[in-house]
Amino acid sequence: MCILLFTSCRRQPEKPVTEKQQKAFTIALLPYKNFDTSLISFVKTEITSFYNCDVIVMPQKNLPAFAYNKSRHRFRADSLLRYQKNYNTAATLSVVGLTASDISTTKSTNADWGVFGLGYCPGKAAVISTYRLKKSSASAAQFKQRLAKVVLHELGHNLGLPHCKTDSACLMNDAIGQIKQVDRERKWLCGSCIKQLSNQ
């Protein structure tokens, strides 16, 4: 799994996957019941335009009780990924969970590291939380851009892209829990990540 930072390289188009490179796959959005459903259309459009794929929306579900860390009042992202795998189908590349609750995972010596999102690399599940993104945003527009970047980043992991070490503006940089890094990145993949994606 990968958690959701110099040399320069030639800038690529905003859309990383051309029609020729496109592979038939579908992303399934799984909004949990505390997620703001008014954001679903925005997230769907961002994914469709960036990855040239189909996006379906699943019915809302309750967050599973077994994933809740009562002592920290947050949900374990790794547990949510395993839960979401149960809703995958042969036609679905990835089930992307969307929640407003805080989520965490184990990172190095930190057993409960709060994250913006988490996704298998590669794999068929990712989960994104708006909790930290919204709390630190100065405006609705900034919040939505942060949300889009984190969603596209975690889907990049699902598609097999590791964290980028080639270009600091690439979407696939490791944020290391820093919202400033999310803001620094563009909704764009560097040439190295484009090449990796094309070879998957």
Side-chain angles (χ1 to χ4, degrees), residues 95-110:
V95 175
V96 179
L98 301 169
T99 180
S101 295
D102 197 13
I103 60 175
S104 63
T105 190
T106 300
K107 182 178 174 66
S108 301
T109 58
N110 192 322

Side-chain angles (χ1 to χ4, degrees), residues 71-134:
S71 64
R72 300 300 299 274
H73 304 291
R74 55 174 56 153
F75 287 81
R76 293 290 299 180
D78 43 359
S79 296
L80 293 175
L81 295 187
R82 290 192 293 271
Y83 172 74
Q84 288 167 203
K85 284 174 65 178
N86 295 329
Y87 293 98
N88 214 328
T89 66
T92 302
L93 172 76
S94 180
V95 175
V96 179
L98 301 169
T99 180
S101 295
D102 197 13
I103 60 175
S104 63
T105 190
T106 300
K107 182 178 174 66
S108 301
T109 58
N110 192 322
D112 197 57
W113 175 265
V115 293
F116 307 129
L118 188 71
Y120 288 129
C121 184
K124 295 187 175 184
V127 62
I128 288 81
S129 166
T130 59
Y131 181 84
R132 295 168 185 271
L133 300 176
K134 193 167 188 176

Side-chain angles (χ1 to χ4, degrees), residues 3-153:
I3 308 172
L4 197 146
L5 196 327
F6 125 168
T7 60
S8 62
C9 67
R10 185 171 62 86
R11 293 291 191 254
Q12 301 291 325
E14 291 293 329
K15 187 181 291 185
V17 185
T18 67
E19 294 298 327
K20 185 176 181 180
Q21 295 168 322
Q22 182 179 358
K23 299 176 183 178
F25 62 85
T26 301
I27 303 297
L29 297 180
L30 174 59
Y32 289 107
K33 287 195 175 177
N34 63 355
F35 184 74
D36 182 355
T37 55
S38 69
L39 295 168
I40 293 176
S41 178
F42 168 75
V43 172
K44 182 177 180 179
T45 298
E46 290 291 318
I47 295 172
T48 301
S49 61
F50 196 82
Y51 285 116
N52 279 327
C53 65
D54 294 325
V55 179
I56 62 173
V57 180
M58 303 172 69
Q60 281 189 291
K61 296 186 181 297
N62 289 316
L63 284 157
F66 68 82
Y68 187 58
N69 181 343
K70 187 175 180 180
S71 64
R72 300 300 299 274
H73 304 291
R74 55 174 56 153
F75 287 81
R76 293 290 299 180
D78 43 359
S79 296
L80 293 175
L81 295 187
R82 290 192 293 271
Y83 172 74
Q84 288 167 203
K85 284 174 65 178
N86 295 329
Y87 293 98
N88 214 328
T89 66
T92 302
L93 172 76
S94 180
V95 175
V96 179
L98 301 169
T99 180
S101 295
D102 197 13
I103 60 175
S104 63
T105 190
T106 300
K107 182 178 174 66
S108 301
T109 58
N110 192 322
D112 197 57
W113 175 265
V115 293
F116 307 129
L118 188 71
Y120 288 129
C121 184
K124 295 187 175 184
V127 62
I128 288 81
S129 166
T130 59
Y131 181 84
R132 295 168 185 271
L133 300 176
K134 193 167 188 176
K135 186 169 66 171
S136 61
S137 295
S139 66
Q142 184 182 54
F143 162 65
K144 291 176 78 172
Q145 285 307 301
R146 288 172 170 179
L147 174 60
K149 290 178 185 179
V150 175
V151 170
L152 299 175
H153 175 103

Side-chain angles (χ1 to χ4, degrees), residues 186-200:
R186 299 167 53 201
K187 285 192 297 184
W188 165 84
L189 296 177
C190 70
S192 177
C193 288
I194 291 261
K195 184 175 180 181
Q196 290 182 71
L197 188 62
S198 300
N199 291 333
Q200 295 297 325

